[in-house]
Amino acid sequence: MEDPLSASLASAVQQARVALDLSVNALAERSGVSRAMIGKIERGEAQATAVLLGRLSGALGMTLSELVARAEEGTGELLRRAADQPVWTDPATGYRRRAVSPATDGPLELVEVELPAGASVSYPADAYIFKYQQIWVLDGHLRFHEGPLVHDLAAGDCLQLGQPSPTTFENPGTADCRYLVALVKGRG
């Protein structure tokens, strides 16, 4: 069964595409995602993976976090209780993303991620344009590929991302890895 956030993500992708006056063909060309898959995602016939959402959001000129924020339909509330923090799970990897921050137009966003043992998720450089980000590992082991650089991070380690480049979040461990991504919007 599809969760409500996945259904909202389908609508958010379509709304962003239409707002940019992009056809499905144009979005397919920009993102490298097939027309058929984009159509299935927008109609709610297929649940997009984190990798596909990363490619689509980059082609739409936003990060995955911005796309998810649009799907969450921000209320402007300054407090988001733990029980009200939307969680999205990637159907391909089991990657779980929790939107910790209140859904406001503020510049700071906090996202908690759980990456299962052995899983990896990759994003294109476009997903990081105009963002200042840090990754703080809370539990487990995270191997973060930032372009040609590879960072092995353990619990307590914090990494500031450099210039936008293709990235891969990889959990080479035998236990789940939990980390926090802090991003500031509008900085490059």
Side-chain angles (χ1 to χ4, degrees):
M1 174 181 271
E2 188 175 281
D3 62 277
L5 186 54
S6 291
S8 294
L9 278 167
S11 178
V13 167
Q14 184 176 39
Q15 289 172 5
R17 178 182 60 75
V18 170
L20 291 172
D21 197 28
L22 288 176
S23 67
V24 172
N25 285 342
L27 181 57
E29 222 172 272
R30 283 185 178 191
S31 67
V33 177
S34 75
R35 271 186 40 216
M37 179 54 77
I38 292 170
K40 286 180 180 180
I41 290 168
E42 288 185 355
R43 290 187 304 271
E45 295 171 2
Q47 187 176 359
T49 65
V51 172
L52 283 179
L53 287 174
R55 291 167 73 185
L56 290 171
S57 63
L60 292 166
M62 65 180 79
T63 67
L64 175 58
S65 292
E66 286 174 306
L67 183 61
V68 172
R70 285 186 184 195
E72 293 165 355
E73 297 178 8
T75 62
E77 296 283 328
L78 299 179
L79 172 65
R80 181 179 269 175
R81 303 258 182 218
D84 298 327
Q85 296 169 357
V87 176
W88 177 75
T89 303
D90 178 11
T93 63
Y95 155 105
R96 288 176 24 111
R97 179 197 184 282
R98 176 183 301 277
V100 177
S101 298
T104 65
D105 289 331
L108 177 65
E109 185 176 349
L110 301 176
V111 177
E112 180 187 24
V113 177
E114 291 179 31
L115 190 61
S120 69
V121 177
S122 299
Y123 297 104
D126 293 2
Y128 298 98
I129 294 175
F130 305 117
K131 300 293 169 196
Y132 173 85
Q133 296 186 58
Q134 293 186 357
I135 301 167
W136 180 31
V137 178
L138 303 170
D139 296 304
H141 178 195
L142 178 66
R143 181 167 293 144
F144 182 71
H145 302 257
E146 183 178 25
L149 302 174
V150 177
H151 307 279
D152 276 300
L153 307 171
D157 292 347
C158 185
L159 173 68
Q160 178 176 313
L161 274 63
Q163 293 297 314
S165 61
T167 62
T168 299
F169 293 80
E170 175 189 358
N171 180 353
T174 57
D176 288 355
C177 177
R178 194 169 60 93
Y179 56 93
L180 181 78
V181 177
L183 24 74
V184 176
K185 302 171 191 172
R187 294 190 55 192

